[in-house]
Amino acid sequence: MTLTSQSVLRVRIVDTLLKMDGFRGQRAEVLDAMAHAYAEEWTAEDNEIRASRGTELKWRNNASFERQAMVAHGFLEPGLQGIWALTERGVALSDSLSVRYAKLIAQETARREKMWRDLAARLDSDGMVSAEDTREVGMYSGARGIYADKENTRTEFAKSGVLVSMRHTGRHYDDEMTNDGMIYHFPNTQQAGHDRSDIESLLMAQRLSLPVFLISTPEKAPKRRKVYRGVIESVDMNASTALITFLHDDELPPPAEFVEVERPFVLHDDDVKTATRKMKVRPNQKRFAFEVVKRYPGGCVACGLTEPTVFEAAHVHPKSENGSDDARNGILLCSNHHRMFDRNLWTIDPSEYGFVFKAGVDPDLLGFKFLELGNNVAKPAGEALLARNARWDKAAFVLSVG
């Protein structure tokens, strides 16, 4: 058995406090109420003793850590010695699917985690399994690219079920996948009704932060399957794509609806402590590119080109100077205008958002359709533009001295 995930603990804390007078209680009182309410759902490992905490059970200790995270996200009141109390924002979560259907979601999470453990027991020396293995553990069935297992996941709030797994054959978009994750393209078949249902099941899996599985078929071993465990971290409805972040054996993040949409901007990678939705930070260029494309549905900000195959997510404050992979440190350019940007042929004014060009450069000859970031275009973070402007000034000074 495994420990109950932090995301499930968060749901249980909220659900417990909602039933208490004033939506608050002493730590021991809250934990005792949770022990009683979920008596049949704690795992064997949950009920083991945490050696470093005297006689405290592991789940109680983990719940305390989760309480700290909830304070940081504004769901629980800070600075109350020994008291756990919901904020107004925390109380508002009573309308959340993750709270109203906490038991069902916890059960489905546990079912999927069991699939992952059962599959791990079937891995061969090549780290893969057979197609039949994925079916026998309940991870996949049928022939479509998306499997929602509607018999087990369809409910009143998920009419199309909740996505369990996706197939990746490698025949299309083979450059979209790395060991950290994948940009998954929505199904687009001749069965429009089925496609809509598949997409709805994908969106529900993302909203609830349930673990999902990417089943890949290696080109050189068509009868073998490489399986990745992950979450649907983000969705771009304009581009009809989803970012799947692979967790491997890491813990699940909390549900998307439980986390701040906007987090503080960080300019340098060294300043990043946690990433979106509490996932551990790993180098993930896919995440950066995906979020930048999502912010700029109009295409290249310089020429308006909308051909996805030539899109490039450019760092405003460059990676070579430890620029972060926060999407607000990015801007969407075609490959040509990206190279011109990196070679200091042009930059962006940090106050007016107009484009500034190197002396003697004619923007028309460089194929510029726009000369500024208009009102309807996303803006990079001001701190990133200021850092870029300082770099531009330095380059101009070097040229003038030379």
Side-chain angles (χ1 to χ4, degrees), residues 11 32 34 64 69 102 173 183 230 243 304 308 334 349 363 367 375 378-379 383:
V11 169
D32 287 347
M34 290 173 64
S64 292
Y173 314 116
I183 295 177
L243 175 64
C334 68
D349 180 83
N375 293 333
K379 309 298 190 297
E383 191 177 351

Side-chain angles (χ1 to χ4, degrees), residues 7 18 20 36 50 100 118 122 136 183 205 208 210 310 321 325 371 374:
S7 59
L18 285 169
M20 303 184 87
H36 176 73
R50 177 76 70 187
R100 285 185 287 143
D118 289 348
R122 295 168 178 249
E136 288 181 359
I183 295 177
L208 302 178
L210 286 170
V310 297
E321 298 178 18
D325 284 332
L371 296 178

Side-chain angles (χ1 to χ4, degrees), residues 123-135:
L123 290 177
D124 288 334
S125 57
D126 59 2
M128 292 188 281
V129 295
S130 68
E132 189 59 30
D133 285 326
T134 64
R135 298 175 188 276

Side-chain angles (χ1 to χ4, degrees), residues 7 45 73 80 125 167 212 214 240 328-329 337 358 384 398:
S7 59
E45 190 172 349
H73 285 299
L80 298 178
S125 57
R167 285 289 311 281
V212 298
L214 193 287
S240 297
R328 290 161 293 183
N329 185 38
H337 287 114
K358 180 181 175 182
V398 170

Side-chain angles (χ1 to χ4, degrees), residues 65-319:
F65 281 112
E66 189 55 41
R67 183 256 180 189
Q68 296 173 15
M70 293 174 72
V71 168
H73 285 299
F75 297 119
L76 294 181
E77 295 282 0
L80 298 178
Q81 191 67 30
I83 301 291
W84 294 17
L86 288 172
T87 60
E88 288 186 13
R89 186 166 180 265
V91 173
L93 289 175
S94 59
D95 291 329
S96 159
L97 286 179
S98 297
V99 171
R100 285 185 287 143
Y101 298 94
K103 187 171 184 177
L104 286 175
I105 294 166
Q107 289 174 342
E108 179 60 16
T109 299
R111 188 175 78 92
R112 296 180 185 214
E113 298 292 65
K114 183 176 185 301
M115 291 180 197
W116 180 244
R117 295 194 301 273
D118 289 348
L119 195 76
R122 295 168 178 249
L123 290 177
D124 288 334
S125 57
D126 59 2
M128 292 188 281
V129 295
S130 68
E132 189 59 30
D133 285 326
T134 64
R135 298 175 188 276
E136 288 181 359
V137 301
M139 194 174 283
Y140 184 75
S141 183
R144 292 186 63 81
I146 282 179
Y147 174 56
D149 190 5
K150 293 182 180 179
E151 183 177 342
N152 284 302
T153 67
R154 182 160 45 193
T155 68
E156 62 179 290
F157 68 87
K159 304 293 186 183
S160 298
V162 185
L163 178 148
V164 174
S165 63
M166 300 151 285
R167 285 289 311 281
H168 175 56
T169 63
R171 291 193 295 269
H172 305 287
Y173 314 116
D174 56 345
D175 62 334
E176 301 281 356
M177 183 174 172
T178 68
N179 192 51
D180 293 309
M182 178 181 182
I183 295 177
Y184 186 82
H185 294 253
F186 290 176
N188 183 19
T189 70
Q190 300 301 313
Q191 299 176 299
H194 286 291
D195 289 348
R196 283 194 298 273
S197 179
D198 286 346
I199 294 167
E200 287 171 2
S201 74
L202 182 152
L203 293 173
M204 187 57 68
Q206 189 249 349
R207 181 177 181 184
L208 302 178
S209 203
L210 286 170
V212 298
F213 307 103
L214 193 287
I215 303 173
S216 177
T217 303
E219 185 177 354
K220 296 181 179 180
K223 294 185 179 181
R224 307 293 289 160
R225 300 291 184 266
K226 176 70 174 177
V227 182
Y228 301 83
R229 168 181 170 269
V231 290
I232 302 170
E233 183 177 349
S234 187
V235 172
D236 186 347
M237 297 303 293
N238 289 313
S240 297
T241 56
L243 175 64
I244 316 300
T245 295
F246 299 148
L247 299 175
H248 305 296
D249 290 319
D250 288 348
E251 69 180 41
L252 291 168
E257 58 193 333
F258 274 16
V259 183
E260 293 283 0
V261 173
E262 193 78 3
R263 63 193 188 282
F265 174 73
V266 289
L267 182 63
H268 297 107
D269 273 336
D270 289 345
D271 297 328
V272 180
K273 302 302 181 185
T274 54
T276 305
R277 295 176 54 209
K278 203 188 168 194
M279 280 183 283
K280 294 179 180 178
V281 175
R282 288 186 291 265
N284 191 343
Q285 193 67 13
K286 291 295 182 192
R287 179 186 295 128
F288 174 72
F290 184 89
E291 295 297 341
V292 171
V293 170
K294 188 175 176 180
R295 283 168 55 83
Y296 294 94
C300 173
V301 301
C303 65
L305 191 65
T306 57
E307 172 51 52
T309 59
V310 297
F311 281 168
E312 293 184 2
H315 285 82
V316 177
H317 187 52
K319 289 295 288 182

